[in-house]
Amino acid sequence: PRPLTVRSVGRAGRFAFAPDTGRLHVDHAALAVFDVTPAEWTGDPKTLVDRLLPGDAERLEALITRAVARGRSGYGAYLRLRGRDGSIRWIHSRGGIRRDRQGRVRWIIGVVRDAGVAPLHPPEPDAARTLPEGAEGWDRDPEAAVGVTEETVAALARARSVRDVADLLRVRGGMERLGVIGLTLGLVEAGRIHVVAEGREDIGPVSELLYTRVDEPFPMSEAVRTHSPLFIVGREEFAARYPRLWPHIASLPMTAAAYLPLIARDRVIGVIGLLYREKRGFPARERNFLAVLAGGIAQSLQSAMLIERDHELAADLQKTMLPRSLPAVHGLHIAARYRPARIGRDVGGDWYDAIPLPGGRLAAVVGDVQGHDTHAAAVMGQLRTVLRAYAAEGHEPGAVVQRASAFLRDLDTERYATCVYADVDPTTGWLRMVRAGHVQPLVRRVDGTWRPLSVAGSLPLGLSTDLARPEHPVTTLELEPGESLLMYTDGLVERPGVDPEEGATLLLHSLGYPVSDGAGTG
């Protein structure tokens, strides 16, 4: 792109940042805002970032990341800066996000201005006489309150569940810095308000208020009905307007309250109530920022609810595709433990099955479809079905796995799967096993120690498909009476920074199995 021409605007300066290259262009006025001389400027953004107080650079990065992720055209943030003389000042940065035709961010262009001295400590007594004792938040430091609001909204963007949203509001401390001493978060469900989080000084949840109707005379109900924020100043006003609620909160040292409807896509999905200590009023600018806060909470809450719904649907899909019960086979004790991991909306394609075979034998299979989504769960269900069908037809273990691999190839999916398949004869203890790209199974000895099973490996399902040429070797092993075969998926033993062998050892320890000398996982 062409070089940018920038000019100073009073106590404000211009900047242009290219995320792809890390290049930052600033004019002399912007350098003056950061208290950096032109001679000190080398083009390294770190020179300016180092002027910011700890945490502010991270908060700015989070705000920009959130704006980019949500397709917004810009952002605004108040930041704290320490000058070369040690003084701390506020600056305000506002940037516009410029994308190319493919939607990639090419430039962030904006203005940075000096916003005045930051009163980080309470004023001296003479200067504080106009403020009530204990005043906090907007009544004491509006600019700091703006920063807290922006920081809270940025943090909420990372919430992955309704509990995350509630915990961020209660635990982060941002609400206290705004002067809030009590917080109530409710979800609107079928004409009722369900309180899912409360944070009040010396008062726990009130059971009769956990579920209230939208048409009842409560402030949260009124905010939901009117789709408008509700502001109350004065204990007398609160007691007069809401006599049913007042006895439950009268012991709190509150003097004002705000109830904000949480609106997403023109629908009220929840409401948040904030109780304040020593609050004198709600100026227009504070009401605007409370609206921003409510919007951020609503968006995060809606996203979290969608993620939870997706996960519940996927988890239900997984459950319907897994065996409801395990067969009873004479001479064998069969047990299974299935607990899907969860990261946000991610679900897996892990599965297990136990299939009765002719002659009192049993086919046991554990597998894992690539990916963590509903498609992986759907492929898992189909693979489990065809493996059962091929096993019931009487095919040898290698042929069962070979046919399942060919089926997955023809399924019009790019996914592959791993599995370990065991044909068990309880009368003799013989195992015929096939391992298609899966982790090695383990055996628990009668004395409680364990040993690895060396089962020949082959390619995962979906990659080996030549039915005319066997590609899945069968390993024959023998179990002694009283020994236990342990089959599992790699998610149980693999994690960042941990060797799979070490993970398998930790698995056995967690099951209470002592490890024999020199034993490894193979």
Side-chain angles (χ1 to χ4, degrees), residues 70 156-166 269 297-312 342 344-345:
R70 297 195 171 184
L156 285 168
R158 298 189 292 271
R160 307 291 289 174
S161 68
V162 174
R163 176 175 292 182
D164 285 348
V165 174
I269 62 173
I297 297 172
Q299 292 180 15
S300 299
L301 196 59
Q302 183 185 49
S303 176
M305 293 167 67
L306 290 174
I307 289 172
E308 289 187 337
R309 186 184 68 181
D310 286 352
H311 183 270
E312 290 174 359
R342 176 180 180 181
R345 70 181 67 193

Side-chain angles (χ1 to χ4, degrees), residues 98-149:
R98 303 291 182 262
R99 297 174 172 84
D100 59 19
R101 293 182 178 178
Q102 288 73 41
R104 293 173 298 187
V105 177
R106 290 302 188 188
W107 289 96
I108 298 176
I109 303 173
V111 176
V112 59
R113 65 178 178 84
D114 188 339
V117 175
L120 297 184
H121 303 287
E124 296 297 326
D126 289 344
R129 288 176 181 170
T130 58
L131 294 174
E133 183 180 355
E136 301 173 74
W138 281 83
D139 288 338
R140 178 171 294 282
D141 192 347
E143 302 299 345
V146 170
V148 171
T149 303

Side-chain angles (χ1 to χ4, degrees), residues 196-257:
V196 295
E198 285 194 285
R200 297 175 178 174
E201 290 184 352
D202 305 323
I203 291 184
V206 181
S207 57
E208 58 264 36
L209 299 179
L210 292 180
Y211 286 92
T212 55
R213 296 194 310 272
V214 171
D215 59 357
E216 291 190 86
F218 293 116
M220 295 182 76
S221 302
E222 183 175 336
V224 171
R225 289 196 306 270
T226 62
H227 290 210
S228 300
L230 173 66
F231 300 100
I232 307 167
V233 179
R235 296 171 63 85
E236 296 78 8
E237 179 185 354
F238 202 117
R241 292 179 63 176
Y242 305 103
R244 286 180 58 185
L245 178 60
W246 180 247
H248 297 291
I249 62 175
S251 61
L252 289 175
M254 56 81 65
T255 61

Side-chain angles (χ1 to χ4, degrees), residues 262-437:
L262 306 178
I263 302 174
R265 297 183 180 178
D266 297 325
R267 183 173 68 89
V268 180
I269 62 173
V271 59
I272 185 169
L274 305 175
L275 303 180
Y276 293 84
R277 183 204 313 269
E278 300 295 343
K279 187 109 179 111
R280 300 176 304 175
F282 294 91
R285 191 181 181 198
E286 180 177 7
R287 296 189 182 206
N288 290 336
F289 270 89
L290 284 174
V292 171
L293 176 62
I297 297 172
Q299 292 180 15
S300 299
L301 196 59
Q302 183 185 49
S303 176
M305 293 167 67
L306 290 174
I307 289 172
E308 289 187 337
R309 186 184 68 181
D310 286 352
H311 183 270
E312 290 174 359
L313 290 173
D316 289 342
L317 176 62
Q318 285 179 306
K319 291 177 181 178
T320 60
M321 294 181 176
L322 293 170
R324 293 187 177 183
S325 61
L326 298 173
V329 178
H330 181 70
L332 292 177
H333 175 69
I334 310 168
R337 170 70 167 169
Y338 187 86
R339 186 176 180 181
R342 176 180 180 181
I343 304 176
R345 70 181 67 193
D346 293 348
V347 294
D350 297 24
W351 88 93
Y352 68 93
D353 208 351
I355 309 163
L357 299 177
R361 301 184 350 264
L362 176 81
V365 59
V366 170
D368 180 11
V369 177
Q370 173 203 18
H372 297 275
D373 50 26
T374 53
H375 183 55
V379 171
M380 171 268 286
Q382 295 177 80
L383 266 180
R384 174 177 172 255
T385 300
V386 300
L387 275 165
R388 289 185 68 91
Y390 293 141
E393 288 176 357
H395 296 289
E396 294 297 307
V400 171
V401 175
Q402 190 86 351
R403 281 168 167 73
S405 183
F407 170 84
L408 183 55
R409 177 202 61 186
D410 297 335
L411 198 57
D412 192 25
T413 178
E414 297 180 353
R415 306 298 176 92
Y416 65 85
T418 68
C419 80
V420 58
Y421 180 97
D423 185 329
V424 186
D425 186 347
T427 60
T428 64
W430 286 102
L431 303 174
R432 292 185 297 166
M433 302 191 70
V434 176
R435 186 172 64 89

Side-chain angles (χ1 to χ4, degrees), residues 17 59-69 75 93 97 108:
F17 176 66
R59 179 164 59 85
L60 176 62
E61 182 180 3
L63 284 170
I64 296 175
T65 299
R66 180 172 180 268
V68 170
Y75 72 92
S93 173
I97 301 170
I108 298 176

Side-chain angles (χ1 to χ4, degrees), residues 30-82:
L31 291 176
V33 171
F34 279 89
D35 205 0
V36 173
T37 67
E40 294 172 324
W41 175 242
T42 63
D44 184 1
K46 189 174 183 298
T47 304
L48 306 184
V49 170
D50 286 347
R51 293 288 192 190
L52 300 178
L53 265 60
D56 280 28
E58 291 78 5
R59 179 164 59 85
L60 176 62
E61 182 180 3
L63 284 170
I64 296 175
T65 299
R66 180 172 180 268
V68 170
R70 297 195 171 184
R72 293 180 177 175
S73 60
Y75 72 92
Y78 282 90
L79 308 166
R80 296 167 299 171
L81 178 145
R82 187 183 299 277

